[in-house]
Amino acid sequence: MLKHFSLIFIAILCCFPDMAYSETVVLDPNMGSKRIVVLPFKIYSRENSSYLQAQIPKALKKYLEQEGAVIVEPVGMKTGRSPLPVSEIRKIGARSGADYVIWGSLTRIGQKFSLDAKMTDSFGEAPPFAYFVEGEHIENLAVTVKELARNFGIRIFKRERVAQVLVIGNRRIESDAIRRKIKTEPGSVYLAKSLSEDLKAVYAMGYFDDIRIEAENSPSGKIIIFRVKEKPTIRRISIEKNKVYEEKDIREAMDIKTGSVLNIFQIQSNIKRIESLYREKNYHNVNVAYKVRPLENNQADIEFVIEEGEKIRIKSITFSGNRAYASKELKKVISISEKGFWSWLTSSGEFNREELDQDVIRLSAFYHNNGYIQSKVGDPQVEYRGNWIYISIKIDEGLRFKVGKVDVGGDVVLPPEKLVKRLKITQEEFCNREVMRNDVLLLSDIYADEGYAYADITPRIERHPSKLTADITYMIEKDKRVYIEKIIIRGNTKTRDKIIRRQLKVSEQELYSGRALKRSVRNLHRLDYFEDVKLSTTKGSADDKMIVKIDVTEKPTGTFSFGGGYSSVENVFAMASVSQRNLFGRGQILQLKAEVGGTTNRYTFSFTDPWLFDIPLSAGFDMYNWERDYDTYDKDSEGGGIRFGYPVYDFTRLYLSYSYDIGDIKNIEEDASRSVREMEGKNVMSSISTTLNYDSRDKVFNPTEGADHSLTFQYAGIGGDIGFTKYMAELGHYFPLFWGTVGFLHARGGYVNESSGKKLPDYEKFYLGGINSLRGFEWRDICLKDEEGADIGGGKFVQFNVEYLIPLIRKAGVVGVIFFDAGNVYERTETIDFGEMRQSAGFGFRWYSPMGPIRIENGYILDPKDDEDSGGRWEFTMGSAF
């Protein structure tokens, strides 16, 4: 217990050294001669508190020194006598050369204590000054000792206390706001240094031009008066002689406002802001002055006068030290340029310091990527002369090194020769740091797929100047295998966690895999539920544990879409649908669709659950009512179906469906084909179909890479009047090209054969034309003719599409497209002649707008016939989201 309380007391003394007066106090002229002796204190306690006998005087001495006293040690004090009479205590003070002597006692009972201290002068006869206080908890003793020193100091140095603090002269600023900055308060000791600090604190408020502190005597102490003179407020701010920038643009760059207090330093800061704004447009000779016009009622107007000067441009960019590459070639590497003839249009000659710094990096990368791995590019020297800028850049090229031996060392998880074979640097003639960086990323991915998330891969380059070659060894420290401790999903306010987790290719307590994480992010993007998906990783509870955080930003998944177009059958038609692709956050799809046109009315209701029974088995149903007026007949049908799908391989699903349709053929015209006339009345079709689909696209709309292939087989004739066998194949592949552009190759083909004893309706045959097949042709315009000259569908068809996708506004999702289409329909027995395929080409725009996907495309027929127009034909589809 003794050690415990001793440590507590010492710790308290260390923690509160500044609770005593740390200021340089204003004392009387004889302050330096006030010498004090502090005698040991008597301790009365049931507990062992003897350690306080020395600790209390020690603390008291420290605080008294801070008060300005000189502490002296007692001389001639005899131990063993207790208590000493006052006369003996005064003799001890006199022998010690002290002016005052302090002594006392501490009484402690449980948690409570009382401190009884006395002070007497060494040469006088006045009764001792006594100080008595009670407290609770020994931890509070330090505060009590500090207060004791304060009271003794006031007594010794005859200091005065503050009776009142007044604030005078303020009009706008409330007195309470000023007092909050003043530490001197009634009852505190009157100290000049404290008032000096209060003066600084009130000035720091920034509201006053002048502050004076006055002190008056009163019977109860000093009366402190703060006399303040407030700064004027700004009534109006005007800007003169500005031409380059509009006044509103300049005001937006400023932080000084009308109604605020006039502050010269703030005015100077705003001048710098204005000048900086002008320098952004290369007006480096700009000069901004200001005028202050005093007004009544302590107000003022400020006028900023701008001398814009002339816009300066880059006159010349020179390089020194470059031997391998001419200055003309190096200027193509950097983004800044000298002023040219077309500068008013191209902004050539514009100077931007940040861009120049980036150009240094570009030059350095250019040399390092072309074998000059020791090259150095110096800091650009920028010189302003009149209205021109002169830039000089010094280059130390060094030697050019070819790629020597390439190897992989350290902790290898695969045979080194297999790893080296995958490195791109082996295909380079000269050393290329960019390629080496990509190789490091490649090796990091390989090791991450093996669970080594923190593998450290460093290229070690050994140069051979005599041979001008450099051997490159990728040194690998694989560290520990890492397991996923926890997966945290954030940002999903609607979509349920399990809907997201079932798309992840990683799970908790599983070995880390970089490839699986990338695939997981891709799967989440493909859901099309989120505007953004961000994945981050942090270390877990141990070095071999990792926490995966997935932050998603949800977007509307309900869609109201509409579209339209033209065809020889429909003339003008429109389509509208209301769908929810993430019903109740469960990932279910509900859609109600209506198509209304000059000859067609179709209403469809469908529902799909992509994970029936929480397994990747998709199931759904469709119901529809379809009224259609063809050129030579009308068809009204009702029906529905059920469908299932299941993943069979990576990116691959197998679908199985059954459909039932009752079609009523009526209002047949005389020029209808024979096959149509034979279908008059009601016809029942009962069919099953299966589809194998491979879809690895990174996005559903405007994808940048991946493929979408499918094979479909349909058999109709399970009862009913209609019977046929239909085969369909579709191939689609997206691949990134240069500058962020994307190429797309697409092909479709189909074949249908009538079943024996059954009917094959014309509407189950093949037609081409329109925005989803051959653009530029009218919808279903490419078909066959029977012997009577009537339009009929083909027994087979082929279709090819080539597209070049150009991102126009990346952030907004606007893409331009240039396309070429080819295809035709044929009789079943007819040989496909690729040279006779119909062809079209054109351009268009696609926008993944806030309303949903929008397509606007214009096609031109390249091989028009006599009755066809080659002048171009626009088609569109568009939608809106909710």
Side-chain angles (χ1 to χ4, degrees):
M1 292 295 292
L2 173 62
K3 293 181 178 178
H4 174 72
F5 285 114
S6 179
L7 290 173
I8 290 176
F9 189 76
I10 293 171
I12 292 170
L13 294 178
C14 293
C15 293
F16 297 94
D18 295 331
M19 293 184 67
Y21 294 132
S22 60
E23 303 92 339
T24 302
V25 296
V26 178
L27 303 174
D28 64 2
N30 298 319
M31 181 191 72
S33 62
K34 304 304 181 186
R35 300 163 62 84
I36 300 174
V37 167
V38 180
L39 302 181
F41 274 51
K42 296 294 184 181
I43 306 299
Y44 303 101
S45 175
R46 294 178 182 177
E47 295 87 355
N48 187 0
S49 303
S50 59
Y51 65 94
L52 295 174
Q53 186 176 13
Q55 294 293 348
I56 293 175
K58 182 179 179 181
L60 187 56
K61 291 175 184 178
K62 180 179 180 180
Y63 292 137
L64 286 170
E65 285 180 337
Q66 292 175 350
E67 289 286 328
V70 177
I71 305 298
V72 297
E73 295 299 323
V75 176
M77 179 179 176
K78 298 180 180 180
T79 60
R81 295 182 61 190
S82 178
L84 293 173
V86 175
S87 59
E88 185 64 28
I89 291 175
R90 285 175 172 162
K91 289 180 182 180
I92 294 172
R95 285 194 297 266
S96 304
D99 298 297
Y100 296 93
V101 182
I102 297 174
W103 75 100
S105 65
L106 174 76
T107 303
R108 180 181 176 192
I109 302 174
Q111 294 295 327
K112 295 184 178 181
F113 67 88
S114 62
L115 184 65
D116 185 3
K118 297 180 180 179
M119 182 181 71
T120 183
D121 58 6
S122 300
F123 305 99
E125 295 181 356
F129 171 73
Y131 179 85
F132 175 80
V133 67
E134 292 183 337
E136 193 169 356
H137 300 295
I138 197 67
E139 300 95 281
N140 298 322
L141 182 58
V143 179
T144 304
V145 174
K146 167 206 167 240
E147 186 62 25
L148 174 64
R150 181 191 296 265
N151 282 276
F152 285 157
I154 293 173
R155 188 83 176 184
I156 294 169
F157 301 119
K158 298 180 176 59
R159 292 180 183 148
E160 296 183 84
R161 290 190 178 272
V162 175
Q164 194 175 3
V165 177
L166 302 177
V167 178
I168 299 174
N170 55 310
R171 297 180 181 179
R172 298 187 313 274
I173 311 303
E174 295 181 358
S175 296
D176 288 342
I178 300 173
R179 286 195 181 97
R180 282 195 290 269
K181 298 295 183 179
I182 300 172
K183 293 183 179 180
T184 301
E185 57 185 9
S188 62
V189 178
Y190 174 66
L191 296 173
K193 182 175 181 181
S194 296
L195 293 176
S196 176
E197 291 181 352
D198 289 338
L199 181 68
K200 293 178 182 177
V202 177
Y203 258 123
M205 296 177 71
Y207 300 139
F208 308 105
D209 269 337
D210 186 39
I211 304 172
R212 295 186 181 186
I213 301 177
E214 300 173 358
E216 296 179 357
N217 294 319
S218 74
S220 57
K222 289 285 187 180
I223 299 175
I224 308 301
I225 304 171
F226 285 79
R227 295 189 182 274
V228 299
K229 180 182 178 183
E230 294 179 335
K231 292 181 178 179
T233 54
I234 301 172
R235 188 192 70 167
R236 185 175 60 187
I237 301 172
S238 60
I239 301 171
E240 302 294 336
K241 295 187 178 181
N242 56 300
K243 296 179 181 179
V244 175
Y245 285 99
E246 293 184 7
E247 185 172 322
K248 66 174 184 178
D249 297 325
I250 298 175
R251 290 185 182 274
E252 287 176 359
M254 300 166 62
D255 63 0
I256 190 170
K257 306 295 180 184
T258 57
S260 61
V261 174
L262 192 151
N263 188 312
I264 299 301
F265 297 105
Q266 190 178 20
I267 293 176
Q268 294 291 346
S269 173
N270 278 267
I271 287 176
K272 292 179 180 179
R273 287 171 174 259
I274 297 172
E275 291 176 346
S276 177
L277 185 69
Y278 271 83
R279 289 191 182 100
E280 289 178 5
K281 286 192 174 183
N282 289 310
Y283 287 85
H284 291 265
N285 295 325
V286 63
N287 181 52
V288 182
Y290 74 94
K291 299 177 183 177
V292 177
R293 302 184 187 278
L295 303 171
E296 295 180 353
N297 299 321
N298 202 26
Q299 291 184 316
D301 290 345
I302 302 176
E303 179 182 339
F304 290 94
V305 181
I306 303 174
E307 297 294 339
E308 295 178 332
E310 294 294 328
K311 187 174 186 178
I312 65 175
R313 294 182 183 270
I314 300 172
K315 180 68 172 179
S316 70
I317 302 173
T318 58
F319 300 93
S320 60
N322 54 309
R323 299 182 303 275
Y325 299 99
S327 296
K328 184 178 180 180
E329 191 169 356
L330 295 179
K331 288 178 183 179
K332 295 178 181 178
V333 176
I334 60 179
S335 61
I336 62 171
S337 61
E338 299 162 339
K339 180 181 181 297
F341 180 78
W342 301 102
S343 61
W344 56 275
L345 181 64
T346 63
S347 298
S348 64
E350 294 281 353
F351 177 72
N352 185 307
R353 184 72 211 194
E354 292 181 359
E355 198 64 38
L356 180 59
D357 292 339
Q358 290 297 317
D359 282 338
V360 172
I361 298 174
R362 293 186 183 99
L363 285 170
S364 180
F366 174 75
Y367 272 96
H368 288 168
N369 293 340
N370 285 278
Y372 295 92
I373 57 178
Q374 293 179 314
S375 64
K376 296 178 182 178
V377 179
D379 292 333
Q381 300 298 314
V382 181
E383 184 181 358
Y384 298 91
R385 278 188 266 162
N387 294 329
W388 294 104
I389 300 174
Y390 297 84
I391 299 174
S392 59
I393 302 174
K394 187 176 181 180
I395 300 174
D396 181 5
E397 293 181 336
L399 301 175
R400 192 181 194 188
F401 291 86
K402 290 186 176 181
V403 175
K405 181 182 178 182
V406 179
D407 199 2
V408 175
D411 303 326
V412 292
V413 295
L414 294 175
E417 57 272 13
K418 289 188 176 181
L419 293 175
V420 172
K421 190 175 181 180
R422 299 180 65 174
L423 299 177
K424 302 298 184 183
I425 194 64
T426 57
Q427 303 173 16
E428 299 288 325
E429 179 182 3
F430 294 97
C431 291
N432 189 315
R433 289 195 182 273
E434 182 66 26
V435 174
M436 283 190 280
R437 277 194 291 266
N438 292 334
D439 284 342
V440 169
L441 295 176
L442 173 66
L443 292 172
S444 297
D445 288 342
I446 293 173
Y447 274 73
D449 290 338
E450 298 294 329
Y452 300 103
Y454 304 124
D456 184 19
I457 302 170
T458 307
R460 188 177 66 190
I461 302 174
E462 185 177 355
R463 304 176 185 87
H464 303 287
S466 59
K467 300 179 182 179
L468 291 180
T469 60
D471 297 337
I472 304 170
T473 304
Y474 294 87
M475 298 303 298
I476 303 173
E477 293 182 14
K478 62 184 181 183
D479 209 341
K480 297 178 181 179
R481 277 192 167 187
V482 177
Y483 292 83
I484 297 176
E485 181 178 10
K486 188 185 298 183
I487 299 175
I488 300 174
I489 300 172
R490 300 180 297 192
N492 53 316
T493 57
K494 177 183 177 181
T495 308
R496 302 190 179 192
D497 265 25
K498 76 172 185 178
I499 305 301
I500 296 175
R501 289 183 184 274
R502 69 192 186 191
Q503 298 297 326
L504 305 181
K505 293 300 179 180
V506 294
S507 59
E508 295 173 344
Q509 310 308 320
E510 191 178 77
L511 191 66
Y512 174 90
S513 171
R515 182 182 302 173
L517 283 175
K518 291 179 182 178
R519 174 66 185 277
S520 300
V521 173
R522 185 168 183 169
N523 286 350
L524 292 175
H525 277 296
R526 282 168 50 81
L527 284 176
D528 204 27
Y529 298 165
F530 311 110
E531 288 183 2
D532 191 21
V533 179
K534 293 181 179 179
L535 184 144
S536 61
T537 59
T538 57
K539 283 193 175 182
S541 58
D543 290 341
D544 61 344
K545 301 290 185 181
M546 176 179 286
I547 297 174
V548 176
K549 296 179 182 179
I550 299 174
D551 292 281
V552 299
T553 304
E554 291 184 315
K555 67 180 181 181
T557 53
T559 304
F560 168 68
S561 62
F562 64 92
Y566 302 88
S567 75
S568 58
V569 176
E570 291 286 345
N571 292 325
V572 179
F573 70 91
M575 177 276 295
S577 70
V578 179
S579 66
Q580 176 54 260
R581 294 178 288 104
N582 188 15
L583 188 65
F584 306 124
R586 298 175 179 269
Q588 298 167 334
I589 304 169
L590 184 68
Q591 184 181 51
L592 178 63
K593 184 176 180 180
E595 298 175 69
V596 180
T599 57
T600 298
N601 294 324
R602 182 173 183 174
Y603 307 94
T604 306
F605 177 76
S606 64
F607 174 80
T608 304
D609 188 339
W611 278 67
L612 189 65
F613 310 125
D614 280 333
I615 61 174
L617 171 66
S618 64
F621 65 86
D622 305 280
M623 295 183 293
Y624 61 85
N625 183 296
W626 191 358
E627 299 175 358
R628 178 153 188 182
D629 297 338
Y630 290 90
D631 283 345
T632 56
Y633 65 96
D634 297 341
K635 176 180 179 289
D636 297 346
S637 62
E638 297 177 348
I642 57 174
R643 45 194 160 73
F644 301 91
Y646 195 81
V648 294
Y649 197 66
D650 202 21
F651 296 115
T652 307
R653 293 182 73 92
L654 179 65
Y655 297 92
L656 179 66
S657 63
Y658 170 78
S659 62
Y660 187 85
D661 177 90
I662 302 174
D664 186 9
I665 306 298
K666 58 186 179 181
N667 299 330
I668 300 176
E669 298 182 3
E670 292 182 359
D671 58 348
S673 65
R674 183 184 303 172
S675 61
V676 171
R677 291 195 295 270
E678 291 174 353
M679 296 292 296
E680 186 174 10
K682 290 191 176 182
N683 301 275
V684 176
M685 184 179 73
S686 177
S687 67
I688 60 170
S689 63
T690 180
T691 300
L692 185 65
N693 177 243
Y694 173 85
D695 187 355
S696 63
R697 294 174 297 171
D698 58 345
K699 292 180 290 185
V700 176
F701 190 79
N702 285 347
T704 59
E705 61 178 341
D708 185 13
H709 309 320
S710 64
L711 292 173
T712 301
F713 168 76
Q714 182 182 6
Y715 174 74
I718 308 174
D721 311 299
I722 296 173
F724 60 85
T725 305
K726 183 183 288 187
Y727 307 89
M728 294 282 293
E730 183 172 5
L731 303 174
H733 182 64
Y734 295 87
F735 48 92
L737 298 173
F738 48 88
W739 299 332
T741 59
V742 177
F744 175 52
L745 298 178
H746 179 250
R748 289 178 66 222
Y751 177 87
V752 62
N753 186 34
E754 185 177 355
S755 298
S756 177
K758 299 286 185 176
K759 302 176 183 178
L760 173 60
D762 184 71
Y763 52 80
E764 289 294 343
K765 295 180 180 180
F766 302 115
Y767 291 80
L768 291 177
I771 195 170
N772 292 317
S773 58
L774 268 68
R775 288 155 284 194
F777 292 91
E778 295 184 357
W779 189 54
R780 292 170 61 94
D781 194 40
I782 302 176
C783 57
L784 299 178
K785 302 284 186 180
D786 64 6
E787 60 274 8
E788 299 174 357
D791 291 344
I792 59 173
K796 58 186 176 183
F797 83 99
V798 291
Q799 170 191 328
F800 300 96
N801 309 96
V802 179
E803 293 183 353
Y804 179 55
L805 304 169
I806 308 165
L808 300 178
I809 308 175
R810 294 182 185 274
K811 291 184 178 180
V814 178
V815 175
V817 58
I818 300 172
F819 61 82
F820 170 79
D821 301 333
N824 212 336
V825 297
Y826 305 90
E827 292 280 5
R828 286 191 300 273
T829 58
E830 187 179 355
T831 301
I832 295 177
D833 187 351
F834 291 99
E836 294 183 358
M837 287 193 300
R838 305 304 308 276
Q839 301 175 27
S840 66
F843 64 94
F845 304 94
R846 295 174 186 174
W847 179 26
Y848 205 177
S849 72
M851 299 185 301
I854 294 178
R855 289 177 61 190
I856 304 175
E857 295 170 14
N858 187 20
Y860 298 82
I861 301 175
L862 300 181
D863 55 345
K865 295 183 178 179
D866 295 338
D867 58 344
E868 293 176 335
D869 182 10
S870 62
R873 182 170 174 273
W874 287 98
E875 292 185 290
F876 73 94
T877 62
M878 61 184 68
S880 64
F882 62 87

